[in-house]
Amino acid sequence: MVSMNTEKKTEERISTKLNRTKNAGFTNPPSDYFAHFADNLPLKENKEDKKIRFAFSQNNWFQLSSLAVAALLLLALWIFVFDADIKKDTDISFTVEELMALSDFQNYNDDIIYSELASVSYLENVTTDVEVDAFLDYSDVSTDEIIDLYSSEDLK
Amino acid sequence: MKNLTDKEIIQLVINPQTSEKGFNILVKNYQERIYWHIRRMVYMHDDANDIAQNTFVKIWQNLSSFRSDSNLYTWIYRIATNETFDFLKKKKRYVFSVTGDYRDELNRNLEDDSIFDGDEIEKKLQKALLTLPDKQRIVFNMKYFDEMKYKEMSTILNTSVGALKASYHHAVKKIKKSLDED
């Protein structure tokens, strides 16, 4: 376990080796970029978001279609194999808000859906704020890190 | 011109007679901080520019409904952060379908002089940061480079101070491991 003291030392070690600059080593934008940034904002002519575009070739569509078909086959297999388990374990009730969240993905972001479902599935089993945050906000943290998080004496 | 407070800027923006002038002042006050906040997450100038533009367009569209008792600074950062995470999600999906791992692409960007011209230790730090989940990466950036307080970060990231401390703690731990390996 890394103590807060070690954390400070690591910070100092990083700091002594590099200048803590806001650009963190990245190249500066063009020299007149900030002078004209406000003038270039599409405020009037385009009320919508500036679309972020990625180039996409036909091969990629083929690749995506194959992935979609594979995903459907896997889903069918999963339902077929685990059907009995699903029926056995579906004794969970959802609130109206949760069902709305599930059926209305357009207007809910995944954090909202996740946290609404989490309130049913997980919150009975967790006790501290840190644990709740770990479930709600840190779904991309590994199990080891979550275990580590709960066992860290420094944070309690 | 004297430096205006956020409240004075909002008043200027809300008034139709002075809205453009007020918004220009707002942009000038925040553009650089917001740009670097985004750029350190997405690496490429063009991507950072697109996200920064989206951020300020959304602020322009929604400023009239902004609650005056809220903190403008954290609101702007929060919108910028959400826009950045949205971009990263889309980019990851796209890059995965075309070339594989988005982090590999970011790693390659660190070798590109037109994107990154820092020294070796700065590059090592960025490479170590790339091993973190995006949320830990942004927590580290805000604490380390922007020297932001946990309480401010808590409002921006909608996460408790305890969880942020935990996140920063884990980020530093991984960076230490990464630096020790070199």
Side-chain angles (χ1 to χ4, degrees), chain A residues 28-48:
Chain A
N28 283 315
S31 55
D32 58 348
Y33 174 69
F34 290 118
H36 298 295
F37 179 80
D39 307 330
N40 294 330
L41 285 174
L43 299 181
K44 286 176 184 159
E45 66 274 23
N46 182 9
K47 281 280 181 187
E48 296 297 314

Side-chain angles (χ1 to χ4, degrees), chain A residues 1-4 6-30 33-44 46-57 59-60 63-64 67 109-111 129-134 136-142 144-150 152-155, chain B residues 20 23-24 27-28 31-33 35-36 39-41 43 45 47-54 56-58 60-61 83 87 89-91 94 96-98 110 112-119 121-122 125-126 132-136 139-140 143-147 150 157-170 172-176 179-180 182:
Chain A
M1 182 62 52
V2 175
S3 69
M4 284 300 175
T6 313
E7 192 172 299
K8 274 265 174 268
K9 280 183 189 159
T10 306
E11 261 201 49
E12 280 165 18
R13 192 178 157 201
I14 300 166
S15 299
T16 52
K17 286 191 175 182
L18 56 76
N19 296 320
R20 196 189 301 228
T21 53
K22 63 177 180 292
N23 71 344
F26 292 98
T27 53
N28 283 315
Y33 174 69
F34 290 118
H36 298 295
F37 179 80
D39 307 330
N40 294 330
L41 285 174
L43 299 181
K44 286 176 184 159
N46 182 9
K47 281 280 181 187
E48 296 297 314
D49 274 9
K50 186 181 172 70
K51 297 281 182 240
I52 293 167
R53 297 178 196 284
F54 306 121
F56 216 68
S57 73
N59 285 341
N60 297 131
Q63 197 178 354
L64 273 184
L67 278 172
N109 64 38
D110 48 6
D111 284 340
D129 282 346
V130 173
E131 285 169 320
V132 172
D133 282 325
L136 299 186
D137 297 323
Y138 288 85
S139 54
D140 48 357
V141 170
S142 71
D144 283 348
E145 285 171 310
I146 290 175
I147 292 166
D148 199 3
L149 186 72
Y150 294 161
S152 172
E153 290 303 315
D154 296 323
L155 303 167
Chain B
E20 287 199 20
F23 188 68
N24 255 309
V27 173
K28 294 271 182 224
Q31 60 183 7
E32 205 163 338
R33 277 179 284 176
Y35 171 83
W36 285 114
R39 176 80 187 273
R40 287 193 302 255
M41 289 300 289
Y43 291 13
H45 164 73
D47 290 340
N49 178 49
D50 283 350
I51 300 166
Q53 284 201 1
N54 275 353
F56 282 105
V57 168
K58 286 197 172 163
W60 169 250
Q61 289 167 349
E83 288 295 303
F87 172 87
K89 271 187 204 165
K90 284 177 197 161
K91 185 99 179 184
Y94 170 73
F96 178 75
S97 70
V98 178
L110 289 175
D112 183 341
D113 290 345
S114 68
I115 297 171
F116 190 86
D117 61 359
D119 58 25
I121 184 70
E122 284 175 320
L125 176 60
Q126 288 304 322
L132 307 178
D134 289 335
K135 280 185 181 167
Q136 276 188 9
V139 167
F140 182 88
K143 185 82 183 79
Y144 187 77
F145 290 110
D146 293 336
E147 300 183 76
Y150 282 119
L157 298 170
N158 200 26
T159 303
S160 75
V161 167
L164 289 172
K165 283 182 180 171
S167 192
Y168 187 66
H169 171 73
H170 282 289
V172 171
K173 185 175 150 186
K174 281 185 189 167
I175 289 163
K176 178 186 182 305
L179 291 177
D180 286 346
D182 292 321

Side-chain angles (χ1 to χ4, degrees), chain A residues 43-153:
Chain A
L43 299 181
K44 286 176 184 159
E45 66 274 23
N46 182 9
K47 281 280 181 187
E48 296 297 314
D49 274 9
K50 186 181 172 70
K51 297 281 182 240
I52 293 167
R53 297 178 196 284
F54 306 121
F56 216 68
S57 73
Q58 286 189 334
N59 285 341
N60 297 131
W61 286 115
F62 178 75
Q63 197 178 354
L64 273 184
S65 309
S66 308
L67 278 172
V69 170
L72 279 175
L73 285 173
L74 275 174
L75 182 65
L77 182 69
W78 187 81
I79 289 171
F80 178 75
V81 173
F82 295 107
D83 186 43
D85 284 339
I86 292 168
K87 281 178 183 152
K88 200 167 58 189
D89 294 338
T90 46
D91 189 22
I92 297 170
S93 60
F94 292 101
T95 65
V96 173
E97 286 77 13
E98 286 153 9
L99 291 173
M100 280 173 66
L102 285 172
S103 62
D104 189 9
F105 283 97
Q106 296 301 318
N107 296 321
Y108 277 78
N109 64 38
D110 48 6
D111 284 340
I112 293 173
I113 293 167
Y114 189 74
S115 60
E116 284 182 355
L117 291 178
S119 67
V120 174
S121 316
Y122 298 121
L123 292 191
E124 283 172 9
N125 303 320
V126 297
T127 49
T128 68
D129 282 346
V130 173
E131 285 169 320
V132 172
D133 282 325
F135 276 117
L136 299 186
D137 297 323
Y138 288 85
S139 54
D140 48 357
V141 170
S142 71
T143 309
D144 283 348
E145 285 171 310
I146 290 175
I147 292 166
D148 199 3
L149 186 72
Y150 294 161
S151 60
S152 172
E153 290 303 315

Side-chain angles (χ1 to χ4, degrees), chain B residues 66-108:
Chain B
F66 177 73
R67 273 192 7 237
S68 56
D69 57 335
S70 301
N71 188 327
L72 182 65
Y73 163 74
T74 52
W75 186 61
I76 294 173
Y77 259 84
R78 193 163 176 175
I79 292 174
T81 304
N82 281 358
E83 288 295 303
T84 305
F85 279 137
D86 279 354
F87 172 87
L88 287 171
K89 271 187 204 165
K90 284 177 197 161
K91 185 99 179 184
K92 275 177 194 165
R93 275 201 293 266
Y94 170 73
V95 173
F96 178 75
S97 70
V98 178
T99 60
D101 192 349
Y102 179 50
R103 281 171 202 278
D104 290 343
E105 185 176 301
L106 291 180
N107 253 315
R108 281 195 298 277

